[in-house]
Amino acid sequence: MDPIMLSRIQYALTTIFHFFFVPLSIGLVLLVAIMETLYVVKGKEIYKTMAKFWGKLFLINFAVGVVTGILQEFQFGMNWSEYSRFVGDVFGAPLAVEALLAFFMESTFIGLWIFGWDRLSKKVHLACIWLVFVGTFLSALWILAANSFMQHPVGFEINNGRAEMNDFLALLTNGQLLVEFPHTIFGALMTGAFVVTGISAYKLMKKQDVEIFRKSFNIAIIIGLVSSFGVAFSGHFQAQYLVETQPMKMAASEGTWTTTEDPAPWTVIAAIDPDKQENSGEIKIPGLLSYLSYSKFSGSVQGMKELNAEYQQTYGPGNYIPPVRTTFWSFRIMIAAGGLMIVLALYGTLLAMRRKLEVAGTWFMRLMVFAISLPFIANTSGWIMTEVGRQPWTVFGYMTTEASVSPNVSAGQILFSTIAFTAAYTVLGIVMVYLFVREIKAGPHAVDKPEEHDESADPFGMDGGYSVVTK
Amino acid sequence: MNRPIRSAWMGGIPLSLSELWFLLIAVLFVGFFFLEGFDFGVGMSTGLIARSDRERRTLINSIGPFWDGNEVWLITAGGAMFAAFPHWYATLFSGFYLPLVVVLLALIGRGVAFEFRSKMKQQRWRKTWDIIIVVSSSLLPFLFGVVFATLMKGLPIDGEMQMRAGFLDIVNPYTVVGGLSVTLLCLVHGLLFASLRTVGDLRERALNMANKLMLPLAAILAVYAVMTYFMTDVFAVRGWALWIMVVLGAVSLGLAAYFVRHKREGWAFGMTGAVIAIAFASVFIGLFPRVMVSSFGSAFDLTVYNAASGAYSLKVMTIVACTLLPFVLGYQIWSYYIFRKRLNEQHHLEY
């Protein structure tokens, strides 16, 4: 096998797996923070129980996100060393800042939060979970700043055959980041919301801890509603930005081979033939692609054939068309899942507001349980569209994926690591789902153990803290 | 790129930004081994001194609030290397491909084991994760020790800055002794941390074990120092500076042994920490200004000058790091302060 293909497979697998957990962590930690805030403000134990229950699920999820994240950082150097050499100057900086600004914050305050329930005052303890949220949020910001550079390189010049940063602020005000960050964050909040509503719906159907899960549902569905609209709007802006900066990706995600008529119709589905460079069996909605691209019902959209000819003139001979089928279908799957979530969030909010959750009959509750899968489908297909659609580039217009790979790592080594990581991740995935289901079945009251009096002594005290406790 | 940019000062000594970043990365690694060193050691000790599930839990709880934050020192060191020395990062990480695969698997297994082990009460479940904790906590310091030893000894790095190391370049008597030294050092360091945070029988056992291991530790560190003298060029390059480190290291180790014998675990822990800091600082002192030594000759060495990022990038990063570091250190110290008390087995333990 070819090392480039293997490295790509490994990167895709490990990244998709990692990104299963990250959005859920961001979404869940916000909900836990809101619940604990309600506990501190209203002083009702029920909110503490809620925060502890969802917090437990968050911690299981967070652990997997953290350990799979380390691999992401290492992988750039291990599998993509030429990429790292070329862009380290620019791309490494946000990664370093992410560690310094976000990871330290997350890991320290999560430790304080888990072990500090009876050591910290209520308010300080609450501040800890909010700081964890801020940490996850900042982490997303910096990693997306790095990713945005790959999509739309800014703030650098080519020196000595490498990209060297010359404008840090440009990296942070990258237009790509400004559209990508809100879209991803709303997606993450939506993920947390749909997981919480789905699990709550399941428990409500079973009539277990009704009050806790009704409250959880109500809080989460509002976040779900706001974020699902946020995702849609930010997605729209992102598409428009795409037309300007990465027209090839846009054309591929629309399956547009030749430049469209004006106004451009939107292809709902099509059978795509990448060899003949044509589609068949298309169903189209007139004018919609123009609207998606320009927010008005006029204007044509460039096709892949024309763009490829243009790119060949700029970048030299080669094929600059990404895998069209993957890009086209992942885009549609993302939109379908997102649309479905908007509808569900709207209806769910309506029910919650009318206090008719349990009366609504089980069909909606069942649907919400099934809907737990939707944000994961949307998140994954969204990233597949973004990253596959950028091919053949790692840094758009500057470095191809083929040139990015480590020249000194053999196919055998990568095959070994791919198998090892896949096996480890499979075990991890199974264990984690199993533990999730267990915790959900056990319910929120399983976490409410009586807390014993803490009489531990201070080892830095006068007597070394030793004599007090040994009696 | 080869001309250092004089724009940072350390105690009156002008320092180029790339030299400053070398120093920062050295500090991050030293910090990582000092901190994660003890949680590796506590991880290993769960298999050595704990006699019941409750005791294992007490030990794990003693590092519970910290280990994740400690690991971020490694992630930050990696990120800083990526940003400040892209060639160092690329050559090192791609060159050590297979050892790093194992490192990653161990880090993954260890991280989730702490979280997963207590989620179920079944014996087999607990045992599985407990074994993973012991194995990964021993394997990681060993592998890091091996890798750092190879950095001092030199590796086949060609003119394209590509490292193509075979098995024997990485695993040989010198590096194995290096790996074992680091593992044993972390174990003693961790036992002392455990004795600092526990009471009664567990504390006694941790201290006893640390006491017993002092002599073997001194022996292997001495062997490693002698091997380093003969098998690397670091003493030739850095002469007196390294001799000072060796003397300081020996004194610290001696004091550690003295304090352990007198059951003053706080001081003893500080001293093993000093040994770790001195050992890893010596690696970076011995290397400087090289970051990776090529066994093909000094012309192929990676140095802080030819592996570094551009001046602008380093400047931005310096500003960011100097702004953030005080906060990071502040809340990390605060978290250690919050959890300064000893853990008693009878206490409610957070699972």
Side-chain angles (χ1 to χ4, degrees):
Chain A
M1 277 263 256
D2 150 42
I4 297 166
M5 201 57 212
L6 281 166
S7 283
R8 291 179 66 173
I9 291 172
Q10 178 177 312
Y11 195 80
L13 287 174
T14 52
T15 309
I16 287 171
F17 188 82
H18 175 62
F19 202 71
F20 251 73
F21 301 96
V22 174
L24 181 56
S25 284
I26 301 175
L28 272 180
V29 73
L30 176 69
L31 285 162
V32 172
I34 292 174
M35 288 167 190
E36 197 178 337
T37 307
L38 289 170
Y39 164 63
V40 172
V41 173
K42 296 193 175 179
K44 286 187 192 159
E45 278 301 306
I46 186 170
Y47 290 111
K48 186 181 179 183
T49 315
M50 280 162 67
K52 279 206 163 186
F53 173 72
W54 296 111
K56 218 166 183 189
L57 295 187
F58 162 68
L59 290 178
I60 297 171
N61 180 73
F62 184 75
V64 182
V66 167
V67 295
T68 53
I70 302 174
L71 196 148
Q72 294 301 106
E73 190 201 39
F74 277 38
Q75 211 168 192
F76 289 115
M78 289 166 70
N79 293 73
W80 307 100
S81 67
E82 292 313 285
Y83 169 80
S84 304
R85 286 179 207 280
F86 182 67
V87 298
D89 196 306
V90 198
F91 186 86
L95 253 59
V97 180
E98 186 191 17
L100 209 55
L101 185 61
F103 291 158
F104 271 127
M105 205 160 156
E106 275 174 16
S107 59
T108 309
F109 289 101
I110 198 87
L112 282 157
W113 189 77
I114 302 171
F115 295 90
W117 279 101
D118 23 321
R119 299 224 167 152
L120 300 167
S121 75
K122 272 188 190 176
K123 281 184 184 162
V124 175
H125 192 263
L126 176 66
C128 289
I129 194 76
W130 278 108
L131 284 167
V132 175
F133 174 69
V134 172
T136 60
F137 191 83
L138 289 172
S139 163
L141 177 71
W142 289 98
I143 199 69
L144 291 178
N147 180 268
S148 294
F149 171 79
M150 300 169 79
Q151 315 287 348
H152 183 227
V154 292
F156 74 104
E157 59 194 1
I158 302 287
N159 273 335
N160 311 309
R162 329 180 296 140
E164 288 192 355
M165 196 201 297
N166 64 10
D167 188 352
F168 188 56
L169 213 61
L171 274 185
L172 289 176
T173 51
N174 189 347
Q176 174 69 26
L177 178 64
L178 301 183
V179 291
E180 190 173 310
F181 180 64
H183 191 60
T184 316
I185 282 290
F186 279 127
L189 301 185
M190 190 161 79
T191 309
F194 271 81
V195 167
V196 171
T197 51
I199 294 169
S200 301
Y202 173 81
K203 292 299 245 187
L204 286 173
M205 273 198 298
K206 298 244 163 191
K207 306 224 183 311
Q208 292 166 351
D209 298 296
V210 172
E211 203 187 341
I212 285 178
F213 288 108
R214 193 192 298 122
K215 278 194 195 318
S216 301
F217 189 99
N218 290 352
I219 296 169
I221 197 76
I222 294 167
I223 305 277
L225 183 70
V226 174
S227 54
S228 62
F229 277 100
V231 166
F233 283 114
S234 56
H236 179 57
F237 292 124
Q238 198 173 355
Q240 288 179 303
Y241 194 75
L242 206 59
V243 179
E244 280 173 45
T245 54
Q246 295 180 76
M248 181 64 97
K249 190 195 281 181
M250 185 67 180
S253 62
E254 297 302 351
T256 311
W257 293 103
T258 49
T259 303
T260 65
E261 66 257 44
D262 179 3
W266 191 67
T267 310
V268 185
I269 52 166
I272 292 166
D273 188 338
D275 296 325
K276 287 190 193 148
Q277 303 203 330
E278 60 185 35
N279 304 338
S280 52
E282 294 174 308
I283 298 174
K284 294 182 175 186
I285 302 173
L288 189 57
L289 182 55
S290 292
Y291 185 77
L292 286 176
S293 312
Y294 310 111
S295 285
K296 58 181 186 191
F297 288 97
S298 63
S300 64
V301 174
Q302 272 185 300
M304 284 179 276
K305 286 185 197 170
E306 284 87 347
L307 285 165
N308 198 38
E310 263 179 43
Y311 286 3
Q312 281 170 345
Q313 294 217 315
T314 321
Y315 305 117
N319 179 15
Y320 298 93
I321 300 178
V324 183
R325 275 198 197 119
T326 315
T327 317
F328 180 85
W329 284 110
S330 53
F331 186 44
R332 268 143 199 79
I333 292 169
M334 174 182 78
I335 288 183
L340 215 54
M341 282 188 279
I342 292 182
V343 176
L344 288 171
L346 269 172
Y347 190 70
T349 311
L350 210 68
L351 287 181
M353 278 171 66
R354 292 191 177 168
R355 302 182 190 284
K356 281 188 178 165
L357 267 185
E358 289 101 310
V359 220
T362 50
W363 69 267
F364 177 70
M365 295 300 193
R366 279 208 195 113
L367 212 56
M368 288 308 285
V369 176
F370 150 81
I372 293 176
S373 61
L374 291 178
F376 295 97
I377 293 170
N379 293 337
T380 305
S381 45
W383 274 110
I384 289 176
M385 180 212 156
T386 302
E387 301 300 284
V388 172
R390 194 188 56 233
Q391 301 304 319
W393 303 105
T394 38
V395 183
F396 184 81
Y398 289 91
M399 188 181 220
T400 61
T401 310
E402 220 166 291
S404 304
V405 84
S406 303
N408 53 341
V409 181
S410 70
Q413 289 176 316
I414 309 170
L415 187 64
F416 167 74
S417 63
T418 307
I419 293 171
F421 291 140
T422 309
Y425 279 14
T426 309
V427 174
L428 224 57
I430 293 169
V431 170
M432 150 134 184
V433 171
Y434 179 73
L435 288 178
F436 241 69
V437 172
R438 254 182 71 93
E439 292 293 340
I440 294 163
K441 284 203 173 139
H445 289 291
V447 290
D448 267 347
K449 277 180 256 161
E451 278 165 28
E452 290 147 71
H453 179 55
D454 184 352
E455 52 176 349
S456 47
D458 182 352
F460 296 101
M462 293 288 281
D463 54 356
Y466 190 58
S467 56
V468 188
V469 229
T470 41
K471 285 175 199 134
Chain B
M1 206 167 61
N2 292 318
R3 190 167 42 84
I5 311 108
R6 302 281 160 189
S7 52
W9 279 266
M10 279 293 296
I13 307 163
L15 201 65
S16 78
L17 282 178
S18 56
E19 288 161 359
L20 178 72
W21 273 89
F22 178 80
L23 183 70
L24 267 173
I25 288 169
V27 169
L28 284 166
F29 272 112
V30 168
F32 167 70
F33 285 107
F34 182 101
L35 295 170
E36 184 114 312
F38 74 69
D39 72 55
F40 283 150
V42 172
M44 283 183 253
S45 72
T46 56
L48 288 173
I49 58 167
R51 286 185 186 154
S52 64
D53 184 66
R54 190 93 187 148
E55 287 190 348
R56 261 189 294 280
R57 188 65 232 177
T58 307
L59 286 174
I60 292 170
N61 265 34
S62 76
I63 54 168
F66 311 125
W67 72 266
D68 192 7
N70 295 346
E71 207 158 288
V72 177
W73 286 75
L74 174 70
I75 298 171
T76 310
M81 212 187 239
F82 196 171
F85 301 100
H87 288 299
W88 186 11
Y89 172 78
T91 305
L92 183 81
F93 280 62
S94 63
F96 282 113
Y97 194 85
L98 289 182
L100 287 180
V101 171
V102 183
V103 163
L104 284 167
L105 290 172
L107 284 173
I108 291 170
R110 186 171 183 268
V112 293
F114 288 135
E115 182 62 37
F116 286 177
R117 84 171 286 282
S118 52
K119 293 286 178 285
M120 277 167 53
K121 285 207 167 72
Q122 278 84 340
Q123 274 257 300
R124 267 181 57 191
W125 173 268
R126 291 248 162 121
K127 198 146 206 168
T128 309
W129 294 110
D130 285 341
I131 289 171
I132 290 176
I133 289 174
V134 173
V135 171
S136 57
S137 299
S138 342
L139 201 57
L140 284 163
F142 178 75
L143 287 169
F144 284 123
V146 166
V147 168
F148 273 85
T150 60
L151 288 183
M152 295 221 277
K153 195 163 179 281
L155 289 150
I157 296 169
D158 64 21
E160 312 277 66
M161 293 188 173
Q162 300 295 350
M163 164 181 155
R164 295 170 201 274
F167 183 76
L168 290 178
D169 290 311
I170 297 174
V171 180
N172 51 57
Y174 177 69
T175 62
V176 170
V177 172
L180 291 174
S181 306
V182 176
T183 316
L184 201 54
L185 192 49
C186 288
L187 175 58
V188 174
H189 191 48
L191 284 166
L192 292 172
F193 185 80
S195 72
L196 198 58
R197 291 216 63 210
T198 54
V199 293
D201 225 19
L202 202 53
R203 170 180 175 265
E204 287 296 327
R205 263 178 268 143
L207 273 173
N208 275 340
M209 180 72 82
N211 193 26
K212 271 188 214 151
L213 289 174
M214 273 300 169
L215 206 60
L217 177 63
I220 197 158
L221 284 176
V223 170
Y224 185 65
V226 172
M227 284 177 104
T228 304
Y229 182 83
F230 288 108
M231 301 180 81
T232 73
D233 65 1
V234 295
F235 278 89
V237 175
R238 287 280 159 250
W240 59 270
L242 276 193
W243 283 113
I244 292 176
M245 297 305 264
V246 170
V247 172
L248 282 177
V251 171
S252 308
L253 194 64
L255 285 172
Y258 172 83
F259 287 127
V260 169
R261 201 166 279 263
H262 291 81
K263 300 198 190 272
R264 302 287 297 273
E265 58 267 34
W267 284 99
F269 174 73
M271 286 303 125
T272 49
V275 177
I276 290 183
I278 288 163
F280 283 95
S282 307
V283 173
F284 287 92
I285 291 170
L287 283 176
F288 184 81
R290 303 162 298 178
V291 291
M292 288 186 88
V293 178
S294 171
S295 51
F296 295 153
S298 58
F300 300 115
D301 287 348
L302 265 65
T303 68
V304 294
Y305 310 112
N306 69 15
S309 279
Y312 178 85
S313 192
L314 291 174
K315 205 170 115 189
V316 169
M317 295 257 302
T318 306
I319 295 169
V320 173
C322 290
T323 320
L324 295 178
L325 267 177
F327 292 99
V328 174
L329 291 175
Y331 61 66
Q332 286 221 338
I333 291 168
W334 181 64
S335 111
Y336 278 92
Y337 174 76
I338 294 289
F339 299 109
R340 68 195 178 280
K341 290 181 177 176
R342 289 178 188 276
L343 291 164
N344 187 327
E345 262 196 77
Q346 273 78 53
H347 294 150
H348 169 68
L349 298 173
E350 208 66 54
Y351 274 71

